[in-house]
Amino acid sequence: MPELPEAETIATQLDRCLAGARFGRVLVRRRDVIESNGLSLSAVLPGRRVLKVTRRGKRVVVRLEPAGCLVFRLGMTGQILVADSDERRDRHVHLRIGLDGTRELRFRDVRRFGGVWFSEGDGAAGATGLGPEPLEITAKAFDRLMSRRRQIKALLLDQSAIAGLGNIYCDEALYAAGVHPLTRASDMGPQRRKALFSAIRRILRQAIRAGGSTLNDYRTASGEEGSFQTHHRVYGRSGEACRACGAVIQRIQAAGRSTHLCPVCQPLAAGTA
DNA sequence: CGCATTTCCTGGAGGC
DNA sequence: TGCCTCCAGGAAATGC
């Protein structure tokens, strides 16, 4: 569930706790959360110092000195926690990295859809396989992306096409732009493309400002909760009335995901001008 | 190659 | 109360 706004919030908070800290002992409890790229965390992390914690797409990137970065993919339930070493931990804490003094960095992930790995080089190394940032992509590049024939929902969820949107913000952006999720991207006219482009940016910015959306599993590093869920217009509202037109919000399947929409505000065939 | 579909995992919710 | 089934979804794997 952590999508771009949640990852951004986590990175910002983590940066405050971690900047300047030096990594110590690495304890791996579950190997399957470590993405194997030949670099052993126990070999490369100890002694490195945290420069900055940033975000790329939905990933949280801990930039290190000497050069390198520790990359977290949070999946559905991944959490990055800073705790005292003797603080209680449950069986879902899969990785522990000692910090200066008595603290440690923990990766906790109940469903284990997340992962963590080390990349050599600077922060850009954490971006492997990711498309452009939705808040940085140019209108022209976005337009080029929209010329594909692929179903718009699937395209927006594809991290290699554009990085950071997940199920929640995808549904919210499509609603705000009046685009039906099953529309082929290339079927959208210039007006719709422009509307979607600005809806994505507007919604992500609003969500970042609100500290993300808190549903079941997500918490910020310090345990605070975001508040953007109160702004959702379609996500999690199937069966309720559309706030714009009163029609019943539908839930369908698209790209293998439950997808929420207003059938009136997001007509499938029309509105492609 | 491009795109769609299936699979992985656990805890919470709801049925009975 | 307890047991069962279903559902959530990011992204890798598999299928076509």
Side-chain angles (χ1 to χ4, degrees):
Chain A
M1 149 141 24
E3 304 181 24
L4 186 153
E6 290 77 27
E8 173 104 8
T9 305
I10 290 164
T12 302
Q13 296 193 347
L14 214 50
D15 185 63
R16 292 195 198 112
C17 325
L18 286 189
R22 191 177 300 274
F23 283 156
R25 190 164 64 136
V26 174
L27 293 166
V28 178
R29 264 195 57 153
R30 281 203 78 110
R31 299 224 86 82
D32 60 356
V33 302
I34 314 296
E35 311 271 328
S36 55
N37 58 4
L39 296 167
S40 151
L41 297 189
S42 326
V44 297
L45 291 184
R48 280 189 149 97
R49 204 167 47 85
V50 176
L51 276 184
K52 183 84 186 159
V53 185
T54 59
R55 172 198 66 73
R56 178 69 172 85
K58 305 175 189 175
R59 298 176 188 169
V60 174
V61 180
V62 182
R63 294 184 47 208
L64 303 168
E65 169 68 40
C69 51
L70 182 64
V71 187
F72 291 90
R73 221 193 45 235
L74 298 172
M76 273 293 288
T77 54
Q79 296 173 305
I80 308 168
L81 308 165
V82 176
D84 280 326
S85 304
D86 56 3
E87 194 174 314
R88 224 201 103 77
R89 57 185 185 274
D90 62 20
R91 65 202 179 92
H92 303 299
V93 174
H94 309 308
L95 170 69
R96 301 161 60 200
I97 303 167
L99 299 169
D100 304 309
T102 60
R103 298 184 307 161
E104 65 183 26
L105 186 67
R106 295 175 176 177
F107 180 56
R108 177 172 186 269
D109 187 6
V110 172
R111 285 182 218 174
R112 305 211 303 277
F113 280 13
V116 53
W117 66 92
F118 178 84
S119 279
E120 282 166 336
D122 64 4
T128 313
L130 295 183
E133 285 286 319
L135 292 175
E136 289 170 16
I137 188 173
T138 63
K140 194 177 166 192
F142 186 79
D143 209 56
R144 206 177 312 126
L145 198 58
M146 293 303 116
S147 68
R148 297 201 203 169
R149 288 172 58 76
R150 199 169 178 192
Q151 181 190 90
I152 186 62
K153 168 114 183 187
L155 183 56
L156 294 181
L157 286 177
D158 183 344
Q159 303 300 299
S160 69
I162 186 167
L165 293 169
N167 211 33
I168 298 174
Y169 297 108
C170 196
D171 283 6
E172 293 298 323
L174 288 170
Y175 169 78
V179 175
H180 194 291
L182 300 179
T183 309
R184 275 181 199 277
S186 56
D187 282 351
M188 291 189 297
Q191 304 287 18
R192 284 289 159 224
R193 296 183 190 194
K194 203 172 290 180
L196 184 56
F197 178 69
S198 53
I200 289 169
R201 298 161 66 91
R202 186 172 69 249
I203 285 169
L204 290 178
R205 288 212 178 95
Q206 282 174 4
I208 288 170
R209 227 178 302 129
S213 302
T214 300
L215 297 171
N216 316 311
D217 304 298
Y218 160 77
R219 290 283 184 289
T220 60
S222 50
E224 295 165 41
E225 304 190 357
S227 64
F228 192 72
Q229 64 278 10
T230 60
H231 297 277
H232 294 173
R233 289 289 178 267
V234 283
Y235 185 86
R237 295 193 68 241
S238 54
E240 296 176 37
C242 170
R243 297 203 204 277
C245 75
V248 176
I249 300 297
Q250 284 185 352
R251 191 172 76 175
I252 62 171
Q253 285 288 116
R257 292 285 160 266
S258 71
T259 297
H260 314 73
L261 71 137
C262 171
V264 175
C265 297
Q266 298 166 269
L268 185 50
T272 55

PDB file of all heavy atoms in Angstrom, chain A residues 49-76:
ATOM      1  N   ARG A  49      28.077   5.414   6.337  1.00  0.00           N
ATOM      2  CA  ARG A  49      27.359   6.461   7.034  1.00  0.00           C
ATOM      3  C   ARG A  49      26.184   6.935   6.180  1.00  0.00           C
ATOM      4  O   ARG A  49      26.287   6.995   4.963  1.00  0.00           O
ATOM      5  CB  ARG A  49      28.319   7.634   7.288  1.00  0.00           C
ATOM      6  CG  ARG A  49      27.960   8.548   8.436  1.00  0.00           C
ATOM      7  CD  ARG A  49      29.154   9.453   8.762  1.00  0.00           C
ATOM      8  NE  ARG A  49      29.729  10.059   7.561  1.00  0.00           N
ATOM      9  CZ  ARG A  49      29.262  11.192   7.001  1.00  0.00           C
ATOM     10  NH1 ARG A  49      28.224  11.801   7.529  1.00  0.00           N
ATOM     11  NH2 ARG A  49      29.840  11.689   5.928  1.00  0.00           N
ATOM     12  N   VAL A  50      25.093   7.284   6.833  1.00  0.00           N
ATOM     13  CA  VAL A  50      23.900   7.735   6.096  1.00  0.00           C
ATOM     14  C   VAL A  50      24.043   9.199   5.698  1.00  0.00           C
ATOM     15  O   VAL A  50      24.227  10.074   6.539  1.00  0.00           O
ATOM     16  CB  VAL A  50      22.618   7.576   6.947  1.00  0.00           C
ATOM     17  CG1 VAL A  50      21.409   8.133   6.203  1.00  0.00           C
ATOM     18  CG2 VAL A  50      22.399   6.113   7.308  1.00  0.00           C
ATOM     19  N   LEU A  51      23.966   9.453   4.398  1.00  0.00           N
ATOM     20  CA  LEU A  51      24.035  10.830   3.883  1.00  0.00           C
ATOM     21  C   LEU A  51      22.660  11.459   3.870  1.00  0.00           C
ATOM     22  O   LEU A  51      22.454  12.582   4.325  1.00  0.00           O
ATOM     23  CB  LEU A  51      24.565  10.821   2.443  1.00  0.00           C
ATOM     24  CG  LEU A  51      26.054  10.777   2.192  1.00  0.00           C
ATOM     25  CD1 LEU A  51      26.310  10.869   0.703  1.00  0.00           C
ATOM     26  CD2 LEU A  51      26.729  11.934   2.931  1.00  0.00           C
ATOM     27  N   LYS A  52      21.708  10.705   3.313  1.00  0.00           N
ATOM     28  CA  LYS A  52      20.396  11.295   3.044  1.00  0.00           C
ATOM     29  C   LYS A  52      19.414  10.164   2.764  1.00  0.00           C
ATOM     30  O   LYS A  52      19.776   9.175   2.133  1.00  0.00           O
ATOM     31  CB  LYS A  52      20.522  12.191   1.800  1.00  0.00           C
ATOM     32  CG  LYS A  52      19.292  12.940   1.408  1.00  0.00           C
ATOM     33  CD  LYS A  52      19.151  14.224   2.195  1.00  0.00           C
ATOM     34  CE  LYS A  52      17.839  14.919   1.919  1.00  0.00           C
ATOM     35  NZ  LYS A  52      17.478  15.851   2.987  1.00  0.00           N
ATOM     36  N   VAL A  53      18.186  10.297   3.232  1.00  0.00           N
ATOM     37  CA  VAL A  53      17.160   9.323   2.886  1.00  0.00           C
ATOM     38  C   VAL A  53      16.209   9.978   1.895  1.00  0.00           C
ATOM     39  O   VAL A  53      15.642  11.037   2.183  1.00  0.00           O
ATOM     40  CB  VAL A  53      16.373   8.835   4.119  1.00  0.00           C
ATOM     41  CG1 VAL A  53      15.387   7.737   3.728  1.00  0.00           C
ATOM     42  CG2 VAL A  53      17.340   8.330   5.188  1.00  0.00           C
ATOM     43  N   THR A  54      16.072   9.374   0.739  1.00  0.00           N
ATOM     44  CA  THR A  54      15.236   9.958  -0.308  1.00  0.00           C
ATOM     45  C   THR A  54      14.213   8.939  -0.793  1.00  0.00           C
ATOM     46  O   THR A  54      14.104   7.836  -0.259  1.00  0.00           O
ATOM     47  CB  THR A  54      16.084  10.412  -1.510  1.00  0.00           C
ATOM     48  OG1 THR A  54      16.780   9.276  -2.034  1.00  0.00           O
ATOM     49  CG2 THR A  54      17.092  11.467  -1.104  1.00  0.00           C
ATOM     50  N   ARG A  55      13.478   9.318  -1.822  1.00  0.00           N
ATOM     51  CA  ARG A  55      12.471   8.449  -2.406  1.00  0.00           C
ATOM     52  C   ARG A  55      12.637   8.415  -3.903  1.00  0.00           C
ATOM     53  O   ARG A  55      13.036   9.405  -4.511  1.00  0.00           O
ATOM     54  CB  ARG A  55      11.083   8.995  -2.073  1.00  0.00           C
ATOM     55  CG  ARG A  55       9.955   8.272  -2.783  1.00  0.00           C
ATOM     56  CD  ARG A  55       8.680   9.089  -2.773  1.00  0.00           C
ATOM     57  NE  ARG A  55       8.785  10.321  -3.539  1.00  0.00           N
ATOM     58  CZ  ARG A  55       8.802  10.369  -4.872  1.00  0.00           C
ATOM     59  NH1 ARG A  55       8.734   9.265  -5.578  1.00  0.00           N
ATOM     60  NH2 ARG A  55       8.904  11.534  -5.500  1.00  0.00           N
ATOM     61  N   ARG A  56      12.369   7.255  -4.506  1.00  0.00           N
ATOM     62  CA  ARG A  56      12.314   7.174  -5.972  1.00  0.00           C
ATOM     63  C   ARG A  56      11.166   6.238  -6.288  1.00  0.00           C
ATOM     64  O   ARG A  56      11.188   5.073  -5.871  1.00  0.00           O
ATOM     65  CB  ARG A  56      13.648   6.646  -6.515  1.00  0.00           C
ATOM     66  CG  ARG A  56      13.682   6.486  -8.023  1.00  0.00           C
ATOM     67  CD  ARG A  56      13.659   7.851  -8.733  1.00  0.00           C
ATOM     68  NE  ARG A  56      13.885   7.673 -10.161  1.00  0.00           N
ATOM     69  CZ  ARG A  56      12.918   7.385 -11.045  1.00  0.00           C
ATOM     70  NH1 ARG A  56      11.663   7.290 -10.638  1.00  0.00           N
ATOM     71  NH2 ARG A  56      13.201   7.219 -12.320  1.00  0.00           N
ATOM     72  N   GLY A  57      10.133   6.739  -6.990  1.00  0.00           N
ATOM     73  CA  GLY A  57       8.928   5.947  -7.186  1.00  0.00           C
ATOM     74  C   GLY A  57       8.349   5.641  -5.813  1.00  0.00           C
ATOM     75  O   GLY A  57       8.198   6.526  -4.981  1.00  0.00           O
ATOM     76  N   LYS A  58       8.073   4.383  -5.558  1.00  0.00           N
ATOM     77  CA  LYS A  58       7.574   3.989  -4.233  1.00  0.00           C
ATOM     78  C   LYS A  58       8.712   3.514  -3.338  1.00  0.00           C
ATOM     79  O   LYS A  58       8.468   3.083  -2.215  1.00  0.00           O
ATOM     80  CB  LYS A  58       6.572   2.834  -4.373  1.00  0.00           C
ATOM     81  CG  LYS A  58       5.409   3.088  -5.289  1.00  0.00           C
ATOM     82  CD  LYS A  58       4.582   1.822  -5.431  1.00  0.00           C
ATOM     83  CE  LYS A  58       3.527   1.967  -6.518  1.00  0.00           C
ATOM     84  NZ  LYS A  58       2.804   0.702  -6.743  1.00  0.00           N
ATOM     85  N   ARG A  59       9.933   3.547  -3.855  1.00  0.00           N
ATOM     86  CA  ARG A  59      11.061   3.030  -3.085  1.00  0.00           C
ATOM     87  C   ARG A  59      11.634   4.071  -2.148  1.00  0.00           C
ATOM     88  O   ARG A  59      11.643   5.253  -2.456  1.00  0.00           O
ATOM     89  CB  ARG A  59      12.179   2.581  -4.028  1.00  0.00           C
ATOM     90  CG  ARG A  59      11.787   1.458  -4.949  1.00  0.00           C
ATOM     91  CD  ARG A  59      12.928   1.138  -5.908  1.00  0.00           C
ATOM     92  NE  ARG A  59      12.499   0.178  -6.920  1.00  0.00           N
ATOM     93  CZ  ARG A  59      13.207  -0.124  -8.005  1.00  0.00           C
ATOM     94  NH1 ARG A  59      14.384   0.457  -8.203  1.00  0.00           N
ATOM     95  NH2 ARG A  59      12.747  -0.990  -8.868  1.00  0.00           N
ATOM     96  N   VAL A  60      12.130   3.609  -1.006  1.00  0.00           N
ATOM     97  CA  VAL A  60      12.838   4.482  -0.084  1.00  0.00           C
ATOM     98  C   VAL A  60      14.322   4.167  -0.246  1.00  0.00           C
ATOM     99  O   VAL A  60      14.738   3.015  -0.140  1.00  0.00           O
ATOM    100  CB  VAL A  60      12.383   4.242   1.374  1.00  0.00           C
ATOM    101  CG1 VAL A  60      13.236   5.051   2.340  1.00  0.00           C
ATOM    102  CG2 VAL A  60      10.905   4.605   1.521  1.00  0.00           C
ATOM    103  N   VAL A  61      15.108   5.204  -0.538  1.00  0.00           N
ATOM    104  CA  VAL A  61      16.524   5.024  -0.849  1.00  0.00           C
ATOM    105  C   VAL A  61      17.380   5.692   0.215  1.00  0.00           C
ATOM    106  O   VAL A  61      17.298   6.909   0.416  1.00  0.00           O
ATOM    107  CB  VAL A  61      16.849   5.629  -2.238  1.00  0.00           C
ATOM    108  CG1 VAL A  61      18.331   5.444  -2.570  1.00  0.00           C
ATOM    109  CG2 VAL A  61      15.970   5.006  -3.325  1.00  0.00           C
ATOM    110  N   VAL A  62      18.195   4.890   0.907  1.00  0.00           N
ATOM    111  CA  VAL A  62      19.097   5.433   1.915  1.00  0.00           C
ATOM    112  C   VAL A  62      20.466   5.599   1.260  1.00  0.00           C
ATOM    113  O   VAL A  62      21.147   4.615   0.976  1.00  0.00           O
ATOM    114  CB  VAL A  62      19.199   4.487   3.131  1.00  0.00           C
ATOM    115  CG1 VAL A  62      20.110   5.086   4.201  1.00  0.00           C
ATOM    116  CG2 VAL A  62      17.816   4.218   3.710  1.00  0.00           C
ATOM    117  N   ARG A  63      20.836   6.834   0.989  1.00  0.00           N
ATOM    118  CA  ARG A  63      22.128   7.098   0.326  1.00  0.00           C
ATOM    119  C   ARG A  63      23.248   7.068   1.349  1.00  0.00           C
ATOM    120  O   ARG A  63      23.124   7.644   2.434  1.00  0.00           O
ATOM    121  CB  ARG A  63      22.079   8.438  -0.394  1.00  0.00           C
ATOM    122  CG  ARG A  63      21.104   8.420  -1.556  1.00  0.00           C
ATOM    123  CD  ARG A  63      21.146   9.722  -2.311  1.00  0.00           C
ATOM    124  NE  ARG A  63      22.521  10.121  -2.575  1.00  0.00           N
ATOM    125  CZ  ARG A  63      22.921  11.383  -2.713  1.00  0.00           C
ATOM    126  NH1 ARG A  63      22.061  12.354  -2.601  1.00  0.00           N
ATOM    127  NH2 ARG A  63      24.185  11.654  -2.971  1.00  0.00           N
ATOM    128  N   LEU A  64      24.313   6.400   0.993  1.00  0.00           N
ATOM    129  CA  LEU A  64      25.384   6.152   1.956  1.00  0.00           C
ATOM    130  C   LEU A  64      26.726   6.709   1.503  1.00  0.00           C
ATOM    131  O   LEU A  64      26.937   7.007   0.334  1.00  0.00           O
ATOM    132  CB  LEU A  64      25.513   4.636   2.180  1.00  0.00           C
ATOM    133  CG  LEU A  64      24.246   3.931   2.664  1.00  0.00           C
ATOM    134  CD1 LEU A  64      24.417   2.417   2.573  1.00  0.00           C
ATOM    135  CD2 LEU A  64      23.927   4.353   4.090  1.00  0.00           C
ATOM    136  N   GLU A  65      27.619   6.833   2.461  1.00  0.00           N
ATOM    137  CA  GLU A  65      28.993   7.268   2.239  1.00  0.00           C
ATOM    138  C   GLU A  65      29.885   6.299   3.006  1.00  0.00           C
ATOM    139  O   GLU A  65      29.649   6.121   4.201  1.00  0.00           O
ATOM    140  CB  GLU A  65      29.149   8.718   2.755  1.00  0.00           C
ATOM    141  CG  GLU A  65      30.551   9.232   2.832  1.00  0.00           C
ATOM    142  CD  GLU A  65      31.184   9.413   1.471  1.00  0.00           C
ATOM    143  OE1 GLU A  65      30.479   9.878   0.570  1.00  0.00           O
ATOM    144  OE2 GLU A  65      32.348   9.045   1.325  1.00  0.00           O
ATOM    145  N   PRO A  66      30.889   5.644   2.392  1.00  0.00           N
ATOM    146  CA  PRO A  66      31.253   5.714   0.977  1.00  0.00           C
ATOM    147  C   PRO A  66      30.085   5.317   0.056  1.00  0.00           C
ATOM    148  O   PRO A  66      29.178   4.597   0.484  1.00  0.00           O
ATOM    149  CB  PRO A  66      32.372   4.692   0.856  1.00  0.00           C
ATOM    150  CG  PRO A  66      32.886   4.480   2.242  1.00  0.00           C
ATOM    151  CD  PRO A  66      31.752   4.726   3.161  1.00  0.00           C
ATOM    152  N   ALA A  67      30.151   5.819  -1.184  1.00  0.00           N
ATOM    153  CA  ALA A  67      29.045   5.738  -2.127  1.00  0.00           C
ATOM    154  C   ALA A  67      28.372   4.379  -2.187  1.00  0.00           C
ATOM    155  O   ALA A  67      29.017   3.332  -2.233  1.00  0.00           O
ATOM    156  CB  ALA A  67      29.510   6.133  -3.523  1.00  0.00           C
ATOM    157  N   GLY A  68      27.052   4.425  -2.176  1.00  0.00           N
ATOM    158  CA  GLY A  68      26.242   3.216  -2.238  1.00  0.00           C
ATOM    159  C   GLY A  68      24.867   3.587  -1.735  1.00  0.00           C
ATOM    160  O   GLY A  68      24.690   4.667  -1.167  1.00  0.00           O
ATOM    161  N   CYS A  69      23.900   2.740  -1.953  1.00  0.00           N
ATOM    162  CA  CYS A  69      22.611   3.016  -1.353  1.00  0.00           C
ATOM    163  C   CYS A  69      21.874   1.737  -0.974  1.00  0.00           C
ATOM    164  O   CYS A  69      22.014   0.698  -1.610  1.00  0.00           O
ATOM    165  CB  CYS A  69      21.754   3.925  -2.240  1.00  0.00           C
ATOM    166  SG  CYS A  69      21.596   3.395  -3.929  1.00  0.00           S
ATOM    167  N   LEU A  70      21.130   1.864   0.108  1.00  0.00           N
ATOM    168  CA  LEU A  70      20.307   0.773   0.606  1.00  0.00           C
ATOM    169  C   LEU A  70      18.893   1.091   0.162  1.00  0.00           C
ATOM    170  O   LEU A  70      18.358   2.147   0.490  1.00  0.00           O
ATOM    171  CB  LEU A  70      20.396   0.724   2.135  1.00  0.00           C
ATOM    172  CG  LEU A  70      19.625  -0.401   2.821  1.00  0.00           C
ATOM    173  CD1 LEU A  70      20.195  -1.764   2.430  1.00  0.00           C
ATOM    174  CD2 LEU A  70      19.700  -0.218   4.335  1.00  0.00           C
ATOM    175  N   VAL A  71      18.314   0.186  -0.629  1.00  0.00           N
ATOM    176  CA  VAL A  71      17.024   0.464  -1.240  1.00  0.00           C
ATOM    177  C   VAL A  71      15.943  -0.422  -0.633  1.00  0.00           C
ATOM    178  O   VAL A  71      16.117  -1.641  -0.530  1.00  0.00           O
ATOM    179  CB  VAL A  71      17.084   0.219  -2.766  1.00  0.00           C
ATOM    180  CG1 VAL A  71      15.781   0.667  -3.427  1.00  0.00           C
ATOM    181  CG2 VAL A  71      18.276   0.930  -3.384  1.00  0.00           C
ATOM    182  N   PHE A  72      14.840   0.189  -0.221  1.00  0.00           N
ATOM    183  CA  PHE A  72      13.703  -0.552   0.327  1.00  0.00           C
ATOM    184  C   PHE A  72      12.517  -0.473  -0.625  1.00  0.00           C
ATOM    185  O   PHE A  72      12.134   0.607  -1.063  1.00  0.00           O
ATOM    186  CB  PHE A  72      13.251   0.055   1.662  1.00  0.00           C
ATOM    187  CG  PHE A  72      14.227  -0.136   2.784  1.00  0.00           C
ATOM    188  CD1 PHE A  72      15.218   0.808   3.023  1.00  0.00           C
ATOM    189  CD2 PHE A  72      14.149  -1.251   3.605  1.00  0.00           C
ATOM    190  CE1 PHE A  72      16.121   0.637   4.070  1.00  0.00           C
ATOM    191  CE2 PHE A  72      15.039  -1.422   4.649  1.00  0.00           C
ATOM    192  CZ  PHE A  72      16.038  -0.482   4.888  1.00  0.00           C
ATOM    193  N   ARG A  73      11.960  -1.638  -0.940  1.00  0.00           N
ATOM    194  CA  ARG A  73      10.699  -1.701  -1.655  1.00  0.00           C
ATOM    195  C   ARG A  73       9.701  -2.188  -0.633  1.00  0.00           C
ATOM    196  O   ARG A  73       9.835  -3.292  -0.086  1.00  0.00           O
ATOM    197  CB  ARG A  73      10.813  -2.707  -2.813  1.00  0.00           C
ATOM    198  CG  ARG A  73      10.140  -2.254  -4.097  1.00  0.00           C
ATOM    199  CD  ARG A  73      10.003  -3.383  -5.080  1.00  0.00           C
ATOM    200  NE  ARG A  73       9.515  -4.571  -4.423  1.00  0.00           N
ATOM    201  CZ  ARG A  73      10.120  -5.749  -4.460  1.00  0.00           C
ATOM    202  NH1 ARG A  73      11.212  -5.899  -5.138  1.00  0.00           N
ATOM    203  NH2 ARG A  73       9.622  -6.768  -3.815  1.00  0.00           N
ATOM    204  N   LEU A  74       8.694  -1.394  -0.314  1.00  0.00           N
ATOM    205  CA  LEU A  74       7.871  -1.712   0.852  1.00  0.00           C
ATOM    206  C   LEU A  74       6.733  -2.680   0.571  1.00  0.00           C
ATOM    207  O   LEU A  74       6.127  -3.212   1.501  1.00  0.00           O
ATOM    208  CB  LEU A  74       7.333  -0.411   1.462  1.00  0.00           C
ATOM    209  CG  LEU A  74       8.451   0.512   1.971  1.00  0.00           C
ATOM    210  CD1 LEU A  74       7.894   1.856   2.392  1.00  0.00           C
ATOM    211  CD2 LEU A  74       9.212  -0.137   3.115  1.00  0.00           C
ATOM    212  N   GLY A  75       6.445  -2.900  -0.717  1.00  0.00           N
ATOM    213  CA  GLY A  75       5.373  -3.843  -1.036  1.00  0.00           C
ATOM    214  C   GLY A  75       4.077  -3.371  -0.393  1.00  0.00           C
ATOM    215  O   GLY A  75       3.741  -2.193  -0.423  1.00  0.00           O
ATOM    216  N   MET A  76       3.348  -4.290   0.196  1.00  0.00           N
ATOM    217  CA  MET A  76       2.082  -3.951   0.811  1.00  0.00           C
ATOM    218  C   MET A  76       2.226  -3.505   2.245  1.00  0.00           C
ATOM    219  O   MET A  76       1.579  -2.573   2.699  1.00  0.00           O
ATOM    220  CB  MET A  76       1.190  -5.192   0.804  1.00  0.00           C
ATOM    221  CG  MET A  76       0.408  -5.355  -0.457  1.00  0.00           C
ATOM    222  SD  MET A  76      -0.766  -4.052  -0.569  1.00  0.00           S
ATOM    223  CE  MET A  76      -1.899  -4.590   0.720  1.00  0.00           C
TER     224      MET A  76
END
